[in-house]
Amino acid sequence: MTKTYAIIGDPIDHSFSPALHNTAFLFLGLDCTYIAYRIPKGELEYGIEALKKIDISGFNVTIPHKIDMMKFLDESDTECKLAGATNTIVNENGRLKGYNTDVDGFLDPIKKRKIDSKDSDVLLIGAGGAARAIIAGFSKEKVHKITIANRTRERAEELIRFAQEIGLKSDYLDLQSAGEVVNRYKFIVNATSVGLKGIGCPISTRNITKNSIVYDIVYVPVETPLIEQSKIQGATIIYGWEMLLAQAMKSFEIWTGKPAPYEAMKLTLLGRF
Ligand code: ATR
């Protein structure tokens, strides 16, 4: 019988996940299909019941449900517990097990480049949904300190507390000061939505150097203004699509137990930008 997988969230119509996973299923000749299922905020419980009724094999979870979904899990992995959020669910006869592939998906492109993050200083720009998995990832890697720069200080303070709770040194900078002292950080990660559709740069890039590693979570366009300008400064670049692809591959591997077809999935993803 065909196995069905899904992504749940709202909005969901522009998600790349159905194309990525269906490519991988086809490529490996698996009798599986992956759908997008919009569940608005406040309707998560009903949505999950509906998914159980169609005997869903597994699903991904995106905005706005990554944190709320934790309440509905029967079991969760270490990364879920660390991040306080889940993005990948396995359904075994109505028992839901949660995973968080955003955490290792974020780290994957860093490790692929053989970059050591232990004891480094990190400048994390942004305090929205993506930031928690990034902080959880860096805590696994035992970085020295994570400085959070955000337009709204209160949101950053909340994440600073979260980082400290999971054992990381953490402090705050406003966006302007962050641009001035950016050269003190090995990693500069953009987790804001600034740069989306090619508009805007979250901080000044004047002081970015060739020793900087600039990781932009924004993946549309591939070359954001932050990436373009950081390249000119000679920085090492990590693209947002690499994290998107890595987290999808890890979900796929949890569900199927098979290595995800990297090249096929990458072609599908980059072909859609
Ligand atoms: P989520 O990631 O949970 O969807 P979001 O509301 O999309 O959250 O915001 C993501 C991040 O982008 C936040 O850090 C947000 O800053 P605020 O906390 O101050 O809202 C940041 N952001 C969005 N637009 C921005 C802008 N024009 N300038 C600076 N930061 C911005």
Side-chain angles (χ1 to χ4, degrees):
M1 211 179 73
T2 308
K3 288 186 171 175
T4 306
Y5 296 87
I7 178 158
I8 64 166
D10 189 20
I12 208 77
D13 38 347
H14 293 299
S15 170
F16 291 100
S17 297
L20 275 175
H21 287 282
N22 285 318
T23 292
F25 291 143
L26 271 175
F27 194 82
L28 295 184
L30 300 175
D31 188 9
C32 303
T33 188
Y34 187 107
I35 58 171
Y37 178 34
R38 190 175 73 87
I39 301 180
K41 200 169 173 60
E43 295 180 23
L44 183 57
E45 191 169 2
Y46 306 112
I48 295 167
E49 284 312 312
L51 288 170
K52 284 184 178 175
K53 284 208 174 90
I54 65 160
D55 199 21
I56 197 88
S57 296
F59 54 99
N60 283 130
V61 183
T62 188
I63 291 164
H65 303 308
K66 286 188 184 194
I67 295 175
D68 290 344
M69 185 65 213
M70 292 291 287
K71 293 199 286 277
F72 300 99
L73 299 178
D74 297 294
E75 218 182 310
S76 55
D77 76 347
T78 320
E79 283 71 26
C80 276
K81 290 186 184 112
L82 196 60
T86 181
N87 77 325
T88 303
I89 314 293
V90 172
N91 177 24
E92 275 171 13
N93 305 315
R95 263 186 70 79
L96 302 182
K97 176 158 188 201
Y99 299 80
N100 190 320
T101 68
D102 287 333
V103 175
D104 287 342
F106 171 75
L107 294 176
D108 195 73
I110 298 175
K111 294 191 169 169
K112 265 209 174 109
R113 287 169 172 75
K114 301 201 178 347
I115 298 170
D116 188 11
S117 38
K118 188 163 186 281
D119 298 327
S120 352
D121 287 321
V122 175
L123 176 65
L124 173 62
I125 312 161
R132 288 174 82 92
I134 295 169
I135 294 170
F138 278 128
S139 92
K140 278 181 77 175
E141 294 305 299
K142 303 200 166 21
V143 298
H144 171 247
K145 189 177 81 177
I146 189 152
T147 297
I148 302 176
N150 197 49
R151 181 179 57 182
T152 312
R153 181 163 186 159
E154 294 72 44
R155 282 187 96 187
E157 296 288 355
E158 202 178 304
L159 280 182
I160 289 168
R161 281 193 295 277
F162 166 67
Q164 289 168 345
E165 272 162 28
I166 61 172
L168 269 180
K169 271 194 209 161
S170 184
D171 59 8
Y172 175 77
L173 274 180
D174 62 69
L175 293 174
Q176 182 166 351
S177 312
E180 282 158 18
V181 297
V182 69
N183 58 326
R184 295 185 194 159
Y185 296 88
K186 178 167 172 179
F187 289 94
I188 299 128
V189 182
N190 176 38
T192 73
S193 46
V194 180
L196 201 65
K197 296 180 182 147
I199 302 159
C201 200
I203 58 164
S204 160
T205 53
R206 209 178 42 242
N207 295 326
I208 286 178
T209 73
K210 64 174 177 29
N211 299 322
S212 314
I213 298 155
V214 176
Y215 192 157
D216 198 340
I217 295 308
V218 173
Y219 50 81
V220 180
V222 168
E223 305 273 340
T224 60
L226 173 66
I227 288 180
E228 275 178 354
Q229 293 174 26
S230 303
K231 261 189 185 170
I232 295 170
Q233 306 289 97
T236 298
I237 305 296
I238 304 182
Y239 292 95
W241 66 262
E242 297 178 65
M243 175 181 178
L244 180 65
L245 183 55
Q247 62 76 30
M249 288 177 64
K250 287 177 195 298
S251 296
F252 183 91
E253 287 166 3
I254 288 168
W255 290 328
T256 65
K258 296 180 194 304
Y262 174 80
E263 288 300 336
M265 292 172 83
K266 180 181 165 188
L267 274 175
T268 291
L269 183 60
L270 295 183
R272 289 189 167 240
F273 291 148

